[in-house]
Amino acid sequence: LSFGRPPDSFRAHPLSGPGLQQLAGHGFPESKPFRFQSALYPLDGQVFLPVFLFSSLTNYPGRMPWHDLHIMMIGPSARDAVQHFVERWAFVRNQKYPNYPPLSLSNTSAAAENQPSTVTLPPGGTMKPSCKVQVCRSVCDWSHGVPTEQSIQNAYIGLIQEAKHFIYIENQFFISNTVAGGLVVNLIAKALVERILKAATAGEKFKVIVMIPEVPGFPGKIEDTRTIKLIMAAQWRTVNRAGFSIAEMITKAGYDPYDSSIFLWDVQTDCPRRKDYISYYHLRSYDRINGPRSFLENILKKTGYSYGHAQAALARIWLGAGNPEWDKNNGTLNTVEPEISPTRSWSIPKTIAEAKKILETYESASTPSDREVNDSVGQHALQDSTKLQDERWLGNNDEERNCIISELTYIHSKLMIVDDLKVVIGSANLNDRSMKGDGDSEIVVVVEDTDMIPSKMNGQSYQAARFAATFRRALFKEHLGLIPPQNCTPTNAHDVTTFMTPVPNAQIDTTNSPEDHLVEDPLSDEFLALWNGTAKNNTDIFWNIFRTVPNNAVKSWTDYNQDIPSVSEGHVVANLSAEEIKKQLSGVKGHIVQGYMDFLIEEPGLVGGWEWTWLNIFLPLYI
């Protein structure tokens, strides 16, 4: 794990809660006096002190949740990853850091080379390796000291060409080209078009699902952020605009890439359904920030200390006594992000004893009823046994309404699953910088499991690879809310799920669970009705309450300026009470929402003009 990004084992994608915000880099403090210590964390020899004035919660956009995926390898395939690291180390060392020790491949790969053929699992079982793994890279002379290699792009294109039924792509970006010789040089989109047209010509059922972030960058007003507009435009040029997009190339060939651009109601299944060859989706979350101003003012009246005083005291305990480097800020603690809350400072106690006394006094304001308030309410988007409407609150109704927020879930994963047989996962984004070889240095693995399990594909019996199939099913269940809440800060062994533990701990087999059966067949009408129906339902709820942007209803800058909320981004727009809001949000299942591919579609200037010519020498930096 790295500070700044939350581990995806949380899977509930909460926007609030102690011990979580600081991992996400937006440091929002938990207000309850018996848990406030979780809002401090160390990083690189410093202590970051996220302090806000809770009176400014109506301006706070919430912590953006991250969704990410990782893989751990055991066995001979790990040697290739080690070799890549050793080469990279040697290249950078020789160029910049000659005083650092060299690495030897024979020494560093000993552990990978000597792995046993079976892995011991508690409590005594064994897991026999069954996966064939190929490491692929994007490297070149300037990044790695080797000739240009684009084996990652080759792997993507090859697997797309081999696909027989279904492709699932989950990536931070989706930038590619359908024709050679353009500004974007990777041709993954071309492979997708060719495979879709092959299916359309043969009259075969074939499906591509693409999951990308609502906005391929960090929060900010889209209209005022050139970088975000450029990247979004590059994705629209890939998807459905500017003449050579995936949708336009399929249409030119005489086929409708969507069959229907709207949801049709199936009278037989009583569910919405779509028959498009390729479709796009995002992830979004909701939560409630625990920071009622009246509650904190009551603590101040009782103890004489504010939340800032308590954090300043905790800073002294974390920093220790007498460290000149850590005390160089004149022994003061300042508020962060002045655009959200005014600048304030608190003196850090001179001694640890003084700091402990302040904390004891502050914590004395805690009451048993405080502990009945959950740090996060986002778990209700999953299979929670309690109701969102029953969640307790420490402030008044208006404060609760102002503290209910929504935020896009930032998809940072780089994954493709083909036919529930093969998986590509690693560091490579689906854009030129990662795919063309002479851009960013990247590494992925292609995994093919030889352990086959009975499954379904397009209503027929099908043999799927265990790793690929169970990986995809786990993701789909998470996106649809078909998993139990994942406790972010487990307090006992019962709270720790197998999804939170690494290899060699085996995950429990869920292939026969009712939830697994719902997502088993990615081509069945029943699954597609569930998938698309959930996405549409969630989209409608978020739009009604928060007027979330991007949205397909916003087709021009005029629409954008009319529909952009007057409140801070992610806060409630609808004229609803807290109870009415919670009642509607209880209908949100999982985090999937519809893809906003028609957002600003009536603004052709975004995907054209001089910026999309060779005159824009800086374009490769973004795409």
Side-chain angles (χ1 to χ4, degrees):
L1 299 181
S2 63
F3 285 103
R5 299 177 184 176
D8 193 54
S9 59
F10 293 169
R11 304 178 79 197
H13 303 309
L15 285 77
S16 179
L20 176 64
Q21 294 89 341
Q22 63 269 28
L23 284 175
H26 272 268
F28 196 89
E30 165 59 44
S31 64
K32 290 186 282 187
F34 53 93
R35 295 293 296 277
F36 76 95
Q37 299 184 35
S38 300
L40 292 178
Y41 65 104
L43 178 64
D44 296 335
Q46 305 177 52
V47 169
F48 285 71
L49 307 167
V51 181
F52 290 86
L53 299 182
F54 284 87
S55 59
S56 304
L57 280 178
T58 53
N59 297 324
Y60 184 70
R63 180 201 65 84
M64 179 188 288
W66 281 52
H67 170 78
D68 218 335
L69 304 169
H70 309 275
I71 190 171
M72 176 179 178
M73 297 182 295
I74 292 180
S77 56
R79 180 181 175 87
D80 285 347
V82 171
Q83 178 178 338
H84 176 77
F85 177 80
V86 171
E87 289 177 0
R88 176 73 173 165
W89 178 280
F91 177 72
V92 175
R93 173 184 176 274
N94 292 340
Q95 284 203 332
K96 299 181 179 181
Y97 308 104
N99 294 329
Y100 277 67
L103 293 179
S104 167
L105 180 61
S106 59
N107 292 335
T108 55
S109 64
E113 193 76 3
N114 297 323
Q115 286 296 328
S117 58
T118 60
V119 179
T120 301
L121 298 172
T126 58
M127 178 178 66
K128 191 172 182 62
S130 59
C131 292
K132 295 185 289 185
V133 180
Q134 173 67 56
V135 175
C136 300
R137 310 185 297 179
S138 288
V139 289
C140 64
D141 180 65
W142 79 264
S143 68
H144 208 81
V146 298
T148 300
E149 175 185 336
Q150 58 174 42
S151 56
I152 297 177
Q153 182 184 168
N154 296 342
Y156 267 80
I157 292 174
L159 290 174
I160 291 169
Q161 292 171 339
E162 295 172 6
K164 292 181 171 58
H165 306 283
F166 172 78
I167 297 173
Y168 177 64
I169 294 173
E170 195 171 281
N171 207 285
Q172 183 181 359
F173 302 104
F174 192 70
I175 300 172
S176 185
N177 209 333
T178 62
V179 294
L183 291 171
V184 177
V185 301
N186 86 80
L187 298 177
I188 294 173
K190 180 175 184 290
L192 287 170
V193 169
E194 291 173 348
R195 184 60 190 88
I196 289 171
L197 290 178
K198 180 180 177 182
T201 303
E204 298 172 342
K205 193 170 187 177
F206 186 81
K207 182 74 173 176
V208 181
I209 290 179
V210 180
M211 183 74 72
I212 54 178
E214 286 184 17
V215 179
F218 297 106
K221 194 174 180 181
I222 296 172
E223 187 178 24
D224 301 332
T225 311
R226 181 173 178 269
T227 300
I228 290 179
K229 285 192 292 186
L230 272 175
I231 297 174
M232 294 183 79
Q235 296 191 152
W236 293 326
R237 289 170 63 94
T238 305
V239 173
N240 64 349
R241 307 182 203 182
F244 295 96
S245 65
I246 292 173
E248 290 167 307
M249 296 301 284
I250 295 173
T251 302
K252 288 177 183 178
Y255 297 94
D256 185 347
Y258 305 116
D259 280 1
S260 174
S261 61
I262 61 172
F263 282 82
L264 300 178
W265 202 264
D266 189 319
V267 295
Q268 292 183 333
T269 62
D270 195 32
C271 291
R273 62 188 296 187
R274 285 180 69 166
K275 292 184 176 181
D276 41 3
Y277 288 109
I278 184 167
S279 51
Y280 304 86
Y281 304 88
H282 314 299
L283 299 176
R284 175 165 281 274
S285 303
Y286 73 84
D287 214 326
R288 185 184 67 184
I289 301 173
N290 277 334
R293 182 178 182 181
S294 60
F295 174 73
L296 293 176
E297 288 176 344
N298 188 47
I299 294 177
L300 177 60
K301 290 178 182 178
K302 287 183 177 180
T303 67
Y305 293 117
S306 67
Y307 189 89
H309 288 114
Q311 284 204 323
L314 187 59
R316 171 55 62 202
I317 295 174
W318 277 65
L319 296 173
N323 189 315
E325 178 65 23
W326 290 344
D327 286 340
K328 64 182 181 181
N329 192 32
N330 297 320
T332 60
L333 170 66
N334 300 316
T335 52
V336 296
E337 302 195 34
E339 68 276 10
I340 295 176
S341 59
T343 300
R344 287 281 302 278
S345 298
W346 292 270
S347 297
I348 298 177
K350 298 297 183 183
T351 66
I352 293 177
E354 182 184 354
K356 287 183 176 180
K357 185 175 181 180
I358 292 173
L359 289 183
E360 290 173 359
T361 304
Y362 189 88
E363 290 174 339
S364 69
S366 173
T367 66
S369 64
D370 298 343
R371 305 177 189 275
E372 297 176 8
V373 178
N374 281 325
D375 303 319
S376 169
V377 300
Q379 75 276 7
H380 292 286
L382 306 179
Q383 292 178 326
D384 195 21
S385 59
T386 63
K387 295 181 179 181
L388 176 60
Q389 296 94 313
D390 295 335
E391 289 284 352
R392 294 201 54 189
W393 177 244
L394 294 174
N396 59 47
N397 290 334
D398 287 341
E399 287 175 327
E400 183 175 23
R401 182 187 182 279
N402 291 334
C403 287
I404 295 175
I405 56 173
S406 177
E407 178 61 277
L408 68 89
T409 297
Y410 194 72
I411 298 169
H412 192 253
S413 45
K414 300 92 170 54
L415 169 82
M416 183 170 74
I417 299 177
V418 176
D419 290 339
D420 278 359
L421 295 175
K422 297 178 181 179
V423 176
V424 185
I425 182 172
S427 69
N429 289 312
L430 209 161
N431 61 6
D432 262 9
R433 289 183 52 158
S434 290
M435 292 294 177
K436 65 182 181 179
D438 59 356
D440 295 343
S441 175
E442 309 285 8
I443 185 170
V444 307
V445 291
V446 181
V447 183
E448 182 180 5
D449 196 349
T450 59
D451 181 10
M452 309 302 286
I453 61 174
S455 187
K456 295 284 186 181
M457 186 68 72
N458 197 19
Q460 303 297 315
S461 296
Y462 183 76
Q463 288 292 302
R466 181 180 296 276
F467 178 74
T470 57
F471 198 171
R472 180 192 61 77
R473 293 181 193 180
L475 286 170
F476 281 19
K477 288 185 294 184
E478 176 186 329
H479 297 335
L480 292 168
L482 298 175
I483 59 173
Q486 309 293 293
N487 196 320
C488 298
T489 52
T491 55
N492 57 60
H494 177 74
D495 291 331
V496 179
T497 70
T498 57
F499 295 106
M500 299 180 186
T501 57
V503 173
N505 295 296
Q507 295 183 1
I508 58 173
D509 187 348
T510 62
T511 54
N512 291 317
S513 68
E515 292 80 9
D516 248 49
H517 288 310
L518 290 174
V519 299
E520 178 182 14
D521 186 346
L523 291 185
S524 73
D525 290 342
E526 293 76 15
F527 164 74
L528 293 174
L530 172 65
W531 183 262
N532 288 315
T534 303
K536 183 178 186 301
N537 177 69
N538 292 347
T539 300
D540 290 344
I541 294 173
F542 285 126
W543 175 253
N544 290 337
I545 297 175
F546 302 102
R547 276 298 188 268
T548 51
V549 177
N551 192 282
N552 286 330
V554 180
K555 300 185 183 300
S556 66
W557 286 125
T558 300
D559 294 341
Y560 179 87
N561 289 314
Q562 288 176 348
D563 288 318
I564 196 78
S566 57
V567 299
S568 182
E569 182 181 358
H571 283 261
V572 173
V573 175
N575 186 23
L576 300 171
S577 67
E579 287 304 312
E580 291 171 324
I581 294 167
K582 289 189 289 185
K583 183 178 179 180
Q584 289 195 29
L585 285 177
S586 65
V588 171
K589 305 300 179 186
H591 308 97
I592 183 173
V593 293
Q594 293 172 314
Y596 302 133
M597 299 303 112
D598 288 341
F599 177 58
L600 296 177
I601 198 168
E602 296 177 0
E603 296 290 342
L606 287 171
V607 294
W610 76 269
E611 286 192 316
W612 294 100
T613 69
W614 299 105
L615 295 174
N616 187 357
I617 60 175
F618 297 107
L619 190 61
L621 297 175
Y622 304 108
I623 63 173

